Amino acid sequence: MAKTRIVVMYGGKADEHSISCISAAGVLRAFDEERFEPIPVGITKKGQWIVGGEDPRGWNMAEGLPVVEKTAGARDVVLDVALGQDGFFARNEDGTLESLGHIDAVLPVLHGPYGEDGTIQGLLEMMNVPYVGCGVLASAACMDKHYTKVLLKAAGIPVAPGITVDARTLDLDSKFAANGDDLVAQVEAAGLEYPLFVKPSRAGSSFGVTKVEHAGDAAELAAAVYAAYPHDWRILIEQGIDAREIECAVLCPKAGDEPKASWPGEIVLDKRAGGDDQFYDFDSKYMDASASHVEVPANLPDDVLERVRDTAVKAFKAVDGTGLSRVDTFVTADGDVMVNEINTMPGFTPISMYPKAWEATGVTYTDLITTLIEGVLR
């Protein structure tokens, strides 16, 4: 029997390029290759699609951050939108096109803009090609933390208090220092309490996130907004929540089915126990193995764990999710649950929460990937 042929996409133009590469490496190593034939398609940082490049299965974080490059023997991928699932081609050196064959589905292991934001999903919708993950609306809305909060609040789901700033209106020449007093005034008018977290609205992996601790410090706040600006002009200034960060994996392989939630997990910041003032930044997530570890289920009472699971499913439905998402929540000392953000294509690195949460819930990594793919096949 012919194997089901799955394009696995990785890399991309976003800041999370290398994390996508590591996620894809894990996915490809866990593929059930008795049933599926993976076709790795890499996307360079400039947006060039290639096949036949360096095999992602050989990548790991211990050797540094991998990057998709067009190596010798790699070929450009060319799409014929009108041909749908038969519209994937590789360009040979002489300019002729060679079909990559019939594609049963696409697994876009892409994080951030141009991969997790509805753009690639819209292209695949136009081609009428099945793909794993959330659709255009959910992908776009959840990529933008501002609009995630708008949808969640409309559904009655608590979120962290905050304001949104349009950095295009600020004084770039002064690195926003000229706007510091006004930013402080906006924070005070909104009744936000310090510490604050300043973050790009449309970025992931904690890029451009700064903790602001000194109330009324215009220079510190302006500098934090400026640090976020390279990643997005829409910037959130949120009140820090005195709570534990609990993450829950949601799975809904087939559109229209009832979503299921894993046991919630927690990223434990090991250096914080030693007195370090630490939050879950890029290095803690990916570069420093001693900085954190994952605990699933999180060390919380059963009723609180169930409340997190219920909130995660409600949030997933509120944004019209399908396929998979990781819903990140805050749980206060009183057991209150609020949603921080929703990741529609969560990390699949060996230390990532999403596969670990499902493994702890009884679904192996390979079975998880198989279930997601089977949910979209026609």
Side-chain angles (χ1 to χ4, degrees), residues 110-129:
L110 297 166
H111 306 314
Y114 306 105
E116 198 179 353
D117 61 354
T119 50
I120 194 72
Q121 291 78 13
L123 173 61
L124 295 171
E125 292 276 1
M126 291 180 66
M127 292 184 69
N128 196 27
V129 174

Side-chain angles (χ1 to χ4, degrees), residues 10-337:
Y10 57 94
K13 297 169 67 176
D15 290 331
E16 297 92 331
H17 176 101
S18 294
I19 306 308
S20 168
C21 292
I22 294 296
S23 290
V27 168
L28 287 166
R29 286 195 289 262
F31 242 58
D32 182 354
E33 295 200 29
E34 291 187 3
R35 303 177 63 181
F36 303 119
E37 177 188 350
I39 303 167
V41 172
I43 304 177
T44 69
K45 287 188 173 183
K46 293 183 178 181
Q48 186 178 23
W49 294 27
I50 60 170
V51 289
E54 186 177 355
D55 190 343
R57 295 174 184 86
W59 288 334
N60 65 79
M61 292 295 257
E63 298 176 0
L65 296 174
V67 176
V68 177
E69 296 177 325
K70 190 177 181 184
T71 56
R75 296 182 293 171
D76 292 338
V77 173
V78 178
L79 302 180
D80 187 329
V81 175
L83 294 180
Q85 291 173 260
D86 297 307
F88 292 75
F89 297 86
R91 181 184 287 116
N92 297 315
E93 286 189 9
D94 62 2
T96 60
L97 298 181
E98 180 181 334
S99 174
L100 294 178
H102 183 79
I103 304 302
D104 292 291
V106 172
L107 175 52
V109 189
L110 297 166
H111 306 314
Y114 306 105
E116 198 179 353
D117 61 354
T119 50
I120 194 72
Q121 291 78 13
L123 173 61
L124 295 171
E125 292 276 1
M126 291 180 66
M127 292 184 69
N128 196 27
V129 174
Y131 60 93
V132 171
C134 286
V136 175
L137 173 64
S139 298
C142 292
M143 187 69 233
D144 192 321
K145 298 177 182 67
H146 168 81
Y147 285 105
T148 305
K149 294 174 74 169
V150 169
L151 289 174
L152 294 178
K153 285 194 287 187
I157 299 171
V159 298
I163 60 174
T164 303
V165 173
D166 183 344
R168 298 173 300 182
T169 66
L170 305 182
D171 182 54
L172 185 59
D173 289 339
S174 70
K175 298 183 178 179
F176 304 161
N179 307 104
D181 290 337
D182 180 61
L183 291 169
V184 169
Q186 291 184 55
V187 167
E188 292 176 349
L192 303 183
E193 298 177 4
Y194 288 75
L196 306 172
F197 282 92
V198 179
K199 62 183 73 172
S201 190
R202 293 166 291 192
S205 296
S206 301
F207 288 106
V209 180
T210 303
K211 184 179 182 181
V212 176
E213 300 190 73
H214 302 99
D217 190 327
E220 184 183 12
L221 183 57
V225 174
Y226 185 73
Y229 178 63
H231 304 280
D232 192 7
W233 55 261
R234 183 181 288 128
I235 297 167
L236 299 185
I237 301 175
E238 292 184 342
Q239 177 176 307
I241 304 299
D242 184 12
R244 291 164 64 179
E245 298 182 31
I246 307 298
E247 303 178 358
C248 189
V250 180
L251 179 64
C252 182
K254 189 174 182 180
D257 285 355
E258 182 66 18
K260 298 179 180 179
S262 72
W263 281 116
E266 183 173 20
I267 304 292
V268 179
L269 299 176
D270 298 312
K271 292 184 177 179
R272 183 179 287 171
D276 284 6
D277 184 16
Q278 181 192 15
F279 69 95
Y280 196 39
D281 60 7
F282 182 84
D283 286 344
S284 301
K285 285 184 179 181
Y286 302 113
M287 303 305 295
D288 186 354
S290 68
S292 63
H293 69 276
V294 172
E295 288 185 0
V296 185
N299 185 20
L300 288 166
D302 287 347
D303 65 315
V304 177
L305 291 174
E306 291 299 338
R307 202 173 304 138
V308 172
R309 297 175 86 176
D310 181 60
T311 300
V313 169
K314 287 180 178 177
F316 186 80
K317 290 181 175 179
V319 299
D320 194 30
T322 189
L324 72 162
S325 288
R326 193 190 72 235
V327 179
D328 298 347
T329 71
F330 294 124
V331 178
T332 69
D334 295 331
D336 294 330
V337 179

